[in-house]
Amino acid sequence: MAEDKNHVKMEERSVDEEKEVKTNLNEQQDGEKRIQEEQVEPIFAEGDKTDTSAEQQMDENHQAEETAEQQTDETTELKAKIEQLEKELDEKDNRLIRVQADFDNYRKRTRNEIEAIEKYRSQSLATELLGVVDNFERALQTNVTSEDAKALLQGMEMVYKGMLEAFNKEGIEPIESVGKVFDPHEHHAVMQGSDEQVESNIVLEEFQKGYRLKDRVIRPAMVKVNQ
């Protein structure tokens, strides 16, 4: 009986030792598992951080590209506006130059017209009086014998000379013709002559006096020109 009890005790001890070994083994395996999990979690966490950082970098790069494109578009738009403003400014400058030139021309033309009006103000009256002067000259060439006719001619001559003096004050003077070279601006040829003793194109005779108002011919002389 005693041997049986000892045998039972030995079996019980073996079972307990086996359980203890299994328990230790399980604890060891659980410890190793925990260690592996603890080592894996930081790796995943680091991977997550790496992925998050890469995404943030990509977002920042994308935002930077969008900002650069926006700035490029704004710069292009500003350049276009500047070019348009410069073009408009050039057009306005050109218009201003043309307007200034037109105004200068208008001012010069107006001044010249005023000067011409002042310079040739007596032309119309002089033209009307030239016929009267012609009549005086023809009348003064008349031969008279009576004293009364001579006195009348003297009075007419005084009036004639007074008119010539008035003409001279206004710058009106007769054009010299006889013996001068024919000038189509001052002479009006109504007849041709032939005189071998006179050079060609020389005025031989004057039929009607011509007159000049300062530098303007108001009536050309009617003349006879040598061939």
Side-chain angles (χ1 to χ4, degrees):
M1 293 294 290
E3 291 178 359
D4 291 336
K5 289 180 180 180
N6 290 331
H7 182 71
V8 169
K9 287 181 180 180
M10 289 178 65
E11 289 180 355
E12 288 179 353
R13 188 181 295 113
S14 296
V15 172
D16 291 336
E17 289 176 356
E18 185 178 355
K19 288 181 178 180
E20 185 178 355
V21 170
K22 289 182 178 180
T23 300
N24 292 333
L25 182 61
N26 290 332
E27 290 178 354
Q28 184 178 358
Q29 289 178 350
D30 291 340
E32 291 177 356
K33 186 176 180 179
R34 283 196 301 273
I35 291 172
Q36 290 178 355
E37 289 178 353
E38 289 176 356
Q39 290 176 351
V40 170
E41 286 179 358
I43 294 173
F44 287 156
E46 185 177 355
D48 293 339
K49 290 180 180 178
T50 303
D51 293 340
T52 302
S53 177
E55 290 178 357
Q56 291 178 351
Q57 185 65 34
M58 291 178 63
D59 291 339
E60 291 177 357
N61 292 337
H62 182 66
Q63 291 178 356
E65 290 177 357
E66 289 182 349
T67 302
E69 291 178 356
Q70 185 177 3
Q71 290 178 350
T72 302
D73 294 339
E74 291 177 354
T75 302
T76 302
E77 185 177 355
L78 288 173
K79 287 182 178 180
K81 288 182 179 179
I82 291 172
E83 291 177 356
Q84 181 65 25
L85 291 174
E86 289 178 348
K87 183 178 179 181
E88 292 178 357
L89 182 61
D90 291 339
E91 291 177 354
K92 289 182 180 179
D93 288 341
N94 292 332
R95 285 198 298 269
L96 180 61
I97 292 173
R98 288 195 296 269
V99 170
Q100 184 66 36
D102 292 339
F103 177 74
D104 291 340
N105 292 333
Y106 169 77
R107 184 173 57 185
K108 291 178 181 179
R109 185 170 59 253
T110 303
R111 183 173 63 249
N112 292 336
E113 290 175 355
I114 293 174
E115 291 176 354
I117 291 173
E118 177 65 21
K119 186 176 182 179
Y120 305 113
R121 67 181 185 276
S122 58
Q123 178 175 347
S124 179
L125 178 61
T127 302
E128 294 294 331
L129 292 177
L130 289 180
V132 178
V133 173
D134 293 338
N135 291 332
F136 271 105
E137 289 177 348
R138 284 191 287 269
L140 292 175
Q141 292 176 358
T142 304
N143 293 323
V144 295
T145 56
S146 64
E147 295 297 329
D148 293 338
K150 290 180 180 181
L152 180 59
L153 286 177
Q154 289 178 354
M156 293 178 62
E157 186 175 4
M158 293 176 61
V159 175
Y160 172 71
K161 289 181 178 180
M163 293 183 66
L164 293 182
E165 289 179 359
F167 276 11
N168 187 55
K169 290 180 180 180
E170 291 295 324
I172 302 170
E173 56 185 12
I175 297 173
E176 297 183 5
S177 299
V178 178
K180 300 294 182 180
V181 177
F182 175 78
D183 184 349
H185 298 290
E186 296 184 344
H187 304 136
H188 175 52
V190 295
M191 186 180 298
Q192 285 187 336
S194 179
D195 190 340
E196 296 180 355
Q197 296 180 355
V198 180
E199 295 181 0
S200 177
N201 208 36
I202 298 298
V203 176
L204 298 176
E205 187 177 352
E206 181 182 70
F207 300 112
Q208 186 184 60
K209 283 185 178 181
Y211 287 88
R212 182 189 301 107
L213 173 58
K214 297 179 180 178
D215 57 353
R216 176 184 294 180
V217 176
I218 58 177
R219 190 179 75 177
M222 297 176 62
V223 296
K224 177 180 179 180
V225 183
N226 193 31
Q227 293 183 348

